[in-house]
Amino acid sequence: MIQLITKRLLPFSMLLFILFSTPASYGESRELNIIYTGSLQGELEPCGCSPKTDFGGVARLSGYLKEHKEELSPHLLVDAGNFAGDDTPQGKLKTETLLKVYGIIGYDAVAFSAREKAVQDLVAEISHTNKISVVSGSSGHAGAVSVKRGNADILISTDPQLHALDKINILVTDIQVSDAQAMKHWDVIILSSGEKLEEPLKKEKSIIVSGYPKGKEVGILSLHLDDSGKIKGYKHRWQPLGNDIREDTEVRKVLQEYDARVARLYKEAETVVSEINYLGISSCTECHQPFAEIWGKSRHAGAFASLEKVEKASDPECIKCHVVGFGEAGGFNSMKTTPGLANVQCEACHGAGKEHLANLELPLNPVTVSECLKCHTGENSPDFNYPVYLEKIKHW
Ligand code: HEC
Ligand code: HEC
Ligand code: HEC
Ligand code: HEC
């Protein structure tokens, strides 16, 4: 019975809440949250190679914003530019995907900076189809857009000359922090130069912030406004986008489409491998059985399975460190053409075995730390420590 009553009462009380609380809280609101990104550099999501660097990704960003919509309101969502991927086929797919996602997330303004100018036609077209509110220095786009939030009138501009009286003026640009400090007329400057600013810089009237490189964290600058919408003060925090954040499933679907398109690109690049340089572990085993057994128990032996598990086994950007000789003559090409070269096998460290087999007396190049560092980078393997890691793969 009680359950029944609450079930019936709940929608009604919620309606009351919406009717009476929304307009009031809007008018009285003295806070404006500027949520900003910048310098994403095509990063759709982190690789997940290590828990320590597993931060960022637009599915988490969108999930976070949806889940905390109320507490973040009223808010303004801005990307200061340099979000585009490289000017390569895969890089362009990233750029397209990001713009689609920006459309879903509903950015109030997205700036075009140097990386976008390199793929100008693409970003212009995709922004148009996804109804992105672009601010850009190039023709065909607005240099600035106006937005109203509660009692605040805001201008978001990418043109240092384009500011307005009686508005909160926000400049979005990829100039350096040092140059931003010389700027006048701006209440807030959001940078996409890729420089990290732990805390906002206050210079005369400007508050300068900088998008976290590759979007590992999202910046939240909360402005305190007076009755006339002028800035009285501010606070700032970084929201890390760790794997504890629930992803937006709609964005995940767009990322899956991206994965499928990357897989198609990759398949097109599949070639018949005629050259034989790398022989694969099956040709080492006959003479080095004990070594092969030890290797078989190491994580290197499961490197390709790790990609399959996260459905990234058709992404060349991942494959390159999880196989033997990717991109080299006679190296791994695909699971179909060169299945024997999947995983981080003997020859990934010892070099192609062709000459060794031709003359077993010939000494092989000694394996040094520089070999490991080709794959164990700061981003992909932050815990890498040569003596410790060497001990774990010891087979000699
Ligand atoms: C036909 C047998 C045979 C095959 C096949 C073979 N090896 Fe060897 N390998 C040898 C012999 C013999 C030596 C030299 C003697 C020794 O030190 O064990 C050697 C030495 C080595 C060494 C040490 C070289 C040095 O300079 O210290 C490495 C590393 C090595 N092999 C890797 C490989 C790899 C990788 C493969 C597969 C691509 C492979 N071997 C295939 C027989 C073979
Ligand atoms: C071709 C790229 C590549 C090279 C070269 C390489 N590794 Fe790795 N390594 C990987 C990958 C990928 C993994 C993760 C495999 C997995 O679990 O999917 C890994 C995992 C490891 C692990 C397991 C880490 C752990 O915490 O248990 C150790 C240890 C390791 N590598 C040591 C080395 C050492 C030492 C070298 C140099 C002598 C080296 N690796 C060279 C790609 C490489
Ligand atoms: C520059 C080389 C490199 C690239 C590129 C790379 N990886 Fe890795 N990956 C590694 C190394 C090294 C490790 C092992 C890290 C460690 O344990 O220290 C690893 C580990 C992993 C693991 C195992 C994590 C675990 O703890 O079980 C997964 C999954 C993975 N990578 C997925 C990917 C995906 C997906 C991509 C592409 C988006 C990718 N990797 C690109 C080098 C790379
Ligand atoms: C992750 C890198 C890595 C992988 C993978 C790897 N090795 Fe090694 N291997 C080393 C290192 C490091 C040494 C020790 C330093 C050296 O001798 O160059 C070594 C040493 C050796 C030696 C020389 C032993 C001696 O007595 O001097 C042989 C033989 C060898 N490895 C064979 C293999 C075979 C066969 C495989 C594949 C089953 C393999 N290794 C996989 C890194 C690797």
Side-chain angles (χ1 to χ4, degrees), residues 50-363:
S50 163
K52 272 201 188 145
T53 51
D54 189 13
F55 289 93
V58 286
R60 290 177 191 163
L61 171 64
S62 185
Y64 178 80
L65 295 176
K66 273 191 183 166
E67 195 159 326
H68 299 269
K69 198 173 170 178
E70 240 119 86
E71 69 188 73
L72 292 171
S73 171
H75 75 254
L76 200 66
L77 188 55
V78 180
D79 185 282
N82 278 334
F83 60 84
D86 295 337
D87 189 4
T88 60
Q90 188 167 356
K92 285 179 179 170
L93 287 181
K94 288 186 180 179
T95 306
E96 270 196 66
T97 306
L98 266 179
L99 281 169
K100 254 185 228 168
V101 171
Y102 280 7
I104 293 171
I105 296 180
Y107 269 80
D108 292 291
V110 174
F112 286 180
S113 298
R115 293 183 72 92
E116 288 70 57
K117 290 195 176 105
V119 284
Q120 206 163 339
D121 293 342
L122 176 78
V123 284
E125 187 195 323
I126 307 295
S127 301
H128 183 72
T129 40
N130 290 286
K131 301 190 170 66
I132 305 287
S133 172
V134 173
V135 288
S136 165
S138 56
S139 65
H141 294 288
V145 295
S146 293
V147 182
K148 237 182 123 56
R149 280 298 126 81
N151 58 353
D153 257 331
I154 306 137
L155 186 82
I156 307 166
S157 171
T158 193
D159 181 347
Q161 308 306 326
L162 217 63
H163 40 82
L165 279 176
D166 297 326
K167 284 194 180 190
I168 295 173
N169 285 297
I170 302 177
L171 180 67
V172 281
T173 170
D174 65 353
I175 61 172
Q176 302 283 306
V177 172
S178 52
D179 295 329
Q181 286 175 293
M183 289 273 171
K184 296 193 170 64
H185 311 297
W186 302 98
D187 298 297
V188 177
I189 302 177
I190 306 175
L191 303 177
S192 59
S193 58
E195 293 162 288
K196 262 195 219 166
L197 277 182
E198 216 41 68
E199 290 290 329
L201 269 179
K202 184 83 167 88
K203 193 76 184 176
E204 291 181 28
K205 81 172 213 178
S206 301
I207 305 161
I208 305 170
V209 294
S210 181
Y212 203 102
K214 303 206 163 178
K216 289 186 175 295
E217 306 191 2
V218 57
I220 304 176
L221 175 66
S222 308
L223 302 179
H224 306 299
L225 307 177
D226 65 16
D227 288 336
S228 61
K230 290 238 157 35
I231 301 171
K232 287 193 304 191
Y234 66 89
K235 57 179 201 282
H236 179 270
R237 73 179 177 92
W238 289 107
Q239 173 61 47
L241 298 173
N243 62 9
D244 54 322
I245 288 172
R246 204 169 342 134
E247 291 189 350
D248 180 347
T249 50
E250 192 185 355
V251 171
R252 175 47 65 192
K253 276 200 198 107
V254 178
L255 295 184
Q256 279 165 346
E257 267 167 44
Y258 162 81
D259 285 339
R261 291 177 74 186
V262 169
R264 279 201 294 276
L265 256 187
Y266 172 59
K267 214 165 161 14
E268 283 164 19
E270 215 171 56
T271 52
V272 179
V273 180
S274 49
E275 218 158 342
I276 294 176
N277 288 318
Y278 291 96
L279 309 168
I281 186 165
S282 58
S283 32
C284 318
T285 314
E286 73 180 271
C287 303
H288 298 294
Q289 178 73 29
F291 298 85
E293 272 172 25
I294 297 171
W295 175 84
K297 295 195 189 97
S298 77
R299 280 188 43 196
H300 284 144
F304 202 80
S306 290
L307 294 186
E308 286 171 332
K309 216 159 74 189
V310 296
E311 296 179 15
K312 285 284 193 180
S314 294
D315 186 335
E317 287 186 358
C318 307
I319 292 170
K320 68 177 183 188
C321 295
H322 287 246
V323 300
V324 178
F326 188 62
E328 290 173 48
F332 181 90
N333 178 247
S334 80
M335 254 343 216
K336 207 164 118 199
T337 55
T338 54
L341 296 178
N343 298 316
V344 183
Q345 302 183 10
C346 326
E347 293 166 284
C349 293
H350 291 292
K354 189 178 161 192
E355 282 173 25
H356 174 51
L357 252 70
N359 182 359
L360 297 174
E361 304 292 294
L362 226 65

Side-chain angles (χ1 to χ4, degrees), residues 299-300 302-303 306 321-322 344 371-372 375-376 389-390 392-393:
R299 280 188 43 196
H300 284 144
S306 290
C321 295
H322 287 246
V344 183
E371 217 52 57
C372 321
C375 302
H376 289 267
Y389 270 49
L390 200 57
K392 286 196 198 178
I393 61 146

